[in-house]
Amino acid sequence: MVMDKGMSIRQAEDMIDASGTLVDIVKIGFGTSYVTPRLKEKIKLYHKAGMRVYLGAPCSKPSLPGACSRTTRSCSSTWNWTPPR
């Protein structure tokens, strides 16, 4: 498991190149999924590398009211993503 704390697409590509064979899950942490540009592209990149992606726990906290719930709904419909329990 790797935690993506706001990596750029290039950094994500480098991580996959360097250690992708060892990573099965990527956690998009700290609510960065709401502010990450090109999020769909990054998630597709992780999926292409055979990695599962999920959003981090801060989206269950009230720090960004409504923001994370919108992101969760978007991820659910776009990538058939289910939040971890």
Side-chain angles (χ1 to χ4, degrees), residues 8-54:
S8 68
I9 295 287
R10 183 67 214 155
Q11 290 170 320
E13 290 170 339
D14 288 344
M15 183 274 295
I16 290 168
D17 185 49
S19 58
T21 58
L22 303 172
V23 178
D24 57 347
I25 300 171
V26 177
K27 176 181 179 179
I28 308 289
F30 304 112
T32 60
S33 59
Y34 187 65
V35 296
T36 298
R38 299 168 54 196
L39 179 63
K40 289 180 184 181
E41 184 179 339
K42 187 192 294 190
I43 290 176
K44 287 178 185 180
L45 177 69
Y46 289 140
H47 283 174
K48 185 177 177 183
M51 300 172 186
R52 295 184 330 191
V53 179
Y54 73 97

Side-chain angles (χ1 to χ4, degrees), residues 21 66 70 85:
T21 58
R70 284 191 304 273
R85 297 185 192 273

